[in-house]
Amino acid sequence: MRGYLLAIFLSAVFLYYVLHCILWGTNVYWVAPVEMKRRNKIQPCLSKPAFAPLLRFHQFHPFLCTADFKKIASIYGSDKFDLPYGIRTSVEYFRLALSKLQSCDLFDEFDNEPCKKCVVVGNGGVLKNKTLGEKIDSYDIIISYFMKRKFFIHHYIMNNGPVLGHEEEVGRRTTFRLFYPESVFSDPNHNDPNTTAILTVFKPLDLKWLVELLTRGKINTNGFWKKPALNLIYKPHQIRILDPFIIKTAAYDLLHFPKVFPKNQKPKHPTTGIIAITLAFHICHEVHLAGFKYNFSDLKSPLHYYGNSTMSLMNENAYHNVTAEQRFLKDIIEKNFVINLTQD
């Protein structure tokens, strides 16, 4: 009897291993997950932030932790959605990716300063010649993002929002950097050891890509809309995975996108910039913006604060609703929910 049970157990283990290898397309050996737990919390303030009316839940811990991400997902409803707004069919992908990271902390363990003042830095050409770098560096938290948009004619252009060489425009410090596989820097000259890099997950392949990079596995570039980075300049202790709840909040609560689009329309998703602002709303008490204004009336004006691209190259993105986002930004600025540093 014991031999029979042992045979069943070994068969089950072998089957799991085979399915695991088929699923991931790799022979990376199994590693017990690191039971990351939240060591620090967002310190509450005596007063509500100006943007409080926009949120159902304020002071939400935005990074997934191995120990409780399924529990948190069930509390906030992310277990009812597939990627990019939930974890429903991708639990094992998340679990394996998180097992390769070393922390899910929000801030340094000794950082207990409440009521943080944050600035979210966009890529807009309005930042050119504004010399806001020193002011941006003065904030408690500086959030910026990598972004590759498919809004250019005939080809894709990297839009990475560099700091190196543009310190006068955007400063020298970056607290958080949002990225995804098609947009992350691979040049080590752009690495800041004090930056926390946040993976914004849109598809299961994004998680597989991260695991392959962290385990030096073979990178499969199939299934990405543009060739992803083949090396990672960030160390495992610098990397976090954004909770899809943040993206869901941006899409449904802030931009009011429908949950089901007509069959003749491609679903719209928030841009990384709006996701970065939503992240700031959940961890900051005061939020300022820089570089989110585009001059649609002058096609010769600069598109970004870097490079020579002009607004003439900008076009409506099939996956984003630029009009809805501009309307949202105008609304939160006019209501003083945020402060726009690059307002003319």
Side-chain angles (χ1 to χ4, degrees):
M1 184 65 179
R2 289 182 179 179
Y4 180 71
L5 292 175
L6 179 61
I8 293 176
F9 173 76
L10 292 175
S11 298
V13 171
F14 177 75
L15 180 61
Y16 171 82
Y17 177 78
V18 170
L19 290 174
H20 177 272
C21 291
I22 292 173
L23 176 65
W24 287 90
T26 179
N27 59 1
V28 175
Y29 54 86
W30 183 81
V31 178
V34 178
E35 287 299 311
M36 295 184 299
K37 297 183 180 180
R38 307 158 202 273
R39 292 191 304 176
N40 49 20
K41 296 182 179 180
I42 305 163
Q43 297 300 311
C45 298
L46 295 177
S47 60
K48 288 186 178 181
F51 48 79
L54 296 174
L55 305 178
R56 287 183 296 157
F57 308 103
H58 186 50
Q59 298 183 333
F60 175 83
H61 187 97
F63 306 144
L64 296 181
C65 300
T66 309
D68 64 358
F69 78 94
K70 285 185 65 178
K71 177 182 176 182
I72 296 297
S74 66
I75 293 173
Y76 293 97
S78 298
D79 62 338
K80 297 177 177 61
F81 293 84
D82 296 336
L83 279 171
Y85 304 149
I87 70 165
R88 181 168 54 185
T89 56
S90 305
V91 171
E92 292 308 315
Y93 288 90
F94 278 108
R95 193 189 308 281
L96 186 55
L98 287 167
S99 75
K100 309 303 177 186
L101 304 184
Q102 296 174 3
S103 175
C104 63
D105 288 349
L106 182 55
F107 305 119
D108 183 273
E109 61 180 314
F110 301 109
D111 184 357
N112 294 314
E113 184 70 27
C115 306
K116 285 183 167 57
K117 186 176 179 180
C118 305
V119 60
V120 184
V121 182
N123 295 327
V126 68
L127 280 168
K128 268 194 173 182
N129 303 318
K130 287 289 196 299
T131 62
L132 286 172
E134 187 175 345
K135 182 175 180 62
I136 289 173
D137 280 340
S138 69
Y139 283 78
D140 299 324
I141 297 175
I142 304 163
I143 304 174
S144 91
Y145 55 94
F146 295 115
M147 191 165 69
K148 285 182 181 177
R149 282 182 176 166
K150 292 190 281 187
F151 56 50
F152 291 95
I153 301 173
H154 302 311
H155 62 288
Y156 301 143
I157 294 192
M158 188 178 295
N159 183 3
N160 283 345
V163 168
L164 188 66
H166 300 274
E167 291 84 357
E168 285 196 3
E169 283 92 358
V170 296
R172 299 176 183 275
R173 295 176 50 232
T174 303
T175 312
F176 296 123
R177 271 271 192 186
L178 275 70
F179 74 94
Y180 47 95
E182 297 94 337
S183 72
V184 65
F185 280 132
S186 56
D187 182 351
N189 289 323
H190 291 284
N191 182 29
D192 179 351
N194 297 312
T195 293
T196 296
I198 307 169
L199 175 62
T200 307
V201 184
F202 287 93
K203 52 191 178 297
L205 277 176
D206 296 347
L207 296 166
K208 181 180 178 182
W209 166 86
L210 179 63
V211 171
E212 290 171 342
L213 282 179
L214 293 176
T215 58
R216 301 186 184 279
K218 183 179 179 180
I219 309 298
N220 187 343
T221 60
N222 294 328
F224 295 93
W225 62 263
K226 183 173 176 63
K227 185 177 180 179
L230 300 181
N231 63 288
L232 203 57
I233 63 175
Y234 298 105
K235 304 297 183 185
H237 74 270
Q238 290 179 268
I239 301 171
R240 307 288 187 272
I241 297 178
L242 188 70
D243 193 314
F245 174 79
I246 296 292
I247 314 176
K248 180 159 68 81
T249 298
Y252 299 146
D253 297 344
L254 302 186
L255 296 177
H256 304 293
F257 287 167
K259 292 184 179 180
V260 178
F261 283 84
K263 291 184 178 180
N264 61 343
Q265 287 186 26
K266 291 183 178 179
K268 306 295 184 183
H269 302 295
T271 61
T272 318
I274 298 299
I275 295 169
I277 292 173
T278 309
L279 167 63
F281 283 167
H282 286 87
I283 64 176
C284 306
H285 186 261
E286 187 175 339
V287 174
H288 293 193
L289 308 179
F292 277 86
K293 185 178 179 181
Y294 293 94
N295 188 353
F296 290 94
S297 62
D298 183 2
L299 298 182
K300 294 182 179 180
S301 63
L303 179 60
H304 306 131
Y305 66 81
Y306 58 92
N308 299 314
S309 300
T310 64
M311 287 295 298
S312 61
L313 291 176
M314 195 167 190
N315 192 10
E316 183 73 20
N317 190 299
Y319 295 95
H320 302 309
N321 188 332
V322 177
T323 301
E325 296 202 359
Q326 290 294 308
R327 188 164 55 243
F328 166 72
L329 290 168
K330 183 174 183 291
D331 184 58
I332 62 175
I333 290 169
E334 289 181 348
K335 291 179 178 177
N336 294 318
F337 289 165
V338 300
I339 303 297
N340 185 11
L341 300 182
T342 43
Q343 183 76 38
D344 292 335

